[in-house]
Amino acid sequence: MARALTVGQIDLSFHQAAAAVVCALLNRTGHQVDLRTAAHEDMFALQAAGEVDLVVSAWLPASHGRYIAPCEDQLLKLSTLYTPYCIWGISDRAPAHIRSVRDLAQEDVARLFNRRIQGIGPGAGISRFSRRMVEAYDLDAHGFHFQNGTLADCTAAALAADEGGDLAVVPLWHPQWLHRQLRLRPLSDPLGLLGGQDAATLVLRREAAPRLTPEGRALLETMQLGNDTVSQLDYAICVEGHTPEAAAEAWLSENAVQWHDWIRPM
């Protein structure tokens, strides 16, 4: 009889991409999966309330550390799926001397740019970091402002700027499918406000651990996708039009040796 697990995915395409692989493999290791989707803060609140067993995934420590802190002692931190990090990117067509966020505070540079920095939802790490950066680098004095929105708003603004030959600051992260479409130059962040590299960690409620099969436990402790794979899956979903489930199954069929190693109990 399949063992039930409730898996939570944050409501962004690359989180859905990774979660689709995890859920497909949990099915193969004897689990019945109930998938829940929510925004960043809401997802971790659901886990703290016991309504979600496994979150795919928490970006630790910088982006999501504050969200798991209230219930951290109730959680097991298992495998690192990939190693995400945030950037502010600009088109590679921008003048070569623009290399740092600080450069944007020079009036002759600022006037080259669309001053609206189009981001995603307010709970994302990149959104929190970006709001602080606008103030800390004195960019608001030069007309820059950060605007929350959806992931579609963020990617559409970046693509529109590129197609129109305009310059815009793109608050983004790796892994993300847009890097396969655009040539973005990451700006250095001398104040270190972008949080550095995180570990995209599978976090499981301790009380759910006994429900794992030996193969399921091995999977959650050993699987690693990597940034390139998550970007590939994200591209398949957002650009090629595949469902997360179809993208995951295609990847699994091409990488059977790899995932079979993940589900072997020690």
Side-chain angles (χ1 to χ4, degrees):
M1 180 176 178
R3 304 189 192 183
L5 279 179
T6 302
V7 175
Q9 63 180 8
I10 295 169
D11 193 15
L12 292 169
S13 60
F14 58 95
H15 283 294
Q16 294 166 4
V21 176
V22 173
C23 290
L25 290 174
L26 284 172
N27 287 152
R28 286 165 166 80
T29 56
H31 299 89
Q32 177 184 329
V33 174
D34 175 27
L35 186 62
R36 298 279 302 268
T37 303
H40 296 78
E41 311 99 307
D42 296 337
M43 176 52 64
F44 294 104
L46 287 171
Q47 188 173 45
E51 297 183 40
V52 166
D53 298 314
L54 175 73
V55 172
V56 185
S57 55
W59 288 17
L60 303 174
S63 291
H64 301 156
R66 63 167 60 184
Y67 298 141
I68 72 165
C71 65
E72 192 164 1
D73 61 343
Q74 303 169 34
L75 303 176
L76 293 172
K77 299 173 187 175
L78 301 174
S79 183
T80 296
L81 290 183
Y82 53 97
T83 51
Y85 57 95
C86 295
I87 69 163
W88 270 17
I90 61 173
S91 170
D92 205 37
R93 298 191 314 270
H97 69 276
I98 306 174
R99 294 285 172 178
S100 167
V101 176
R102 280 201 173 115
D103 295 334
L104 300 175
Q106 301 172 22
E107 189 53 41
D108 60 330
V109 172
R111 71 167 61 101
L112 300 176
F113 282 81
N114 182 334
R115 315 297 172 89
R116 175 172 61 92
I117 302 172
Q118 179 62 60
I120 60 173
I126 183 62
S127 298
R128 300 197 318 271
F129 305 154
S130 294
R131 287 192 294 270
R132 286 164 52 200
M133 289 169 72
V134 169
E135 296 181 4
Y137 286 101
D138 201 29
L139 302 183
D140 46 356
H142 297 273
F144 285 97
H145 61 283
F146 179 79
Q147 183 167 314
N148 287 120
T150 64
L151 177 57
D153 293 332
C154 177
T155 56
L159 290 169
D162 186 71
E163 291 167 5
D166 300 324
L167 293 181
V169 175
V170 184
L172 209 58
W173 55 89
H174 286 274
Q176 218 281 338
W177 68 266
L178 200 60
H179 296 288
R180 290 175 171 243
Q181 291 281 108
L182 304 180
R183 294 177 59 87
L184 293 175
R185 179 193 309 161
L187 296 175
S188 68
D189 169 27
L191 298 180
L193 299 180
L194 283 170
Q197 182 172 282
D198 272 334
T201 306
L202 294 173
V203 287
L204 176 75
R205 285 185 62 84
R206 289 181 183 275
E207 65 182 26
R211 281 184 269 132
L212 294 173
T213 64
E215 295 79 10
R217 181 67 183 246
L219 168 72
L220 299 183
E221 290 180 339
T222 61
M223 72 175 295
Q224 295 181 329
L225 294 174
N227 289 3
D228 288 346
T229 293
V230 176
S231 287
Q232 172 191 335
L233 292 165
D234 197 28
Y235 187 88
I237 295 165
C238 294
V239 179
E240 296 176 344
H242 299 288
T243 66
E245 295 76 18
E249 289 297 337
W251 187 87
L252 290 169
S253 69
E254 295 170 3
N255 295 274
V257 172
Q258 184 174 356
W259 66 259
H260 274 103
D261 284 341
W262 294 339
I263 65 174
R264 291 196 181 114
M266 298 296 289

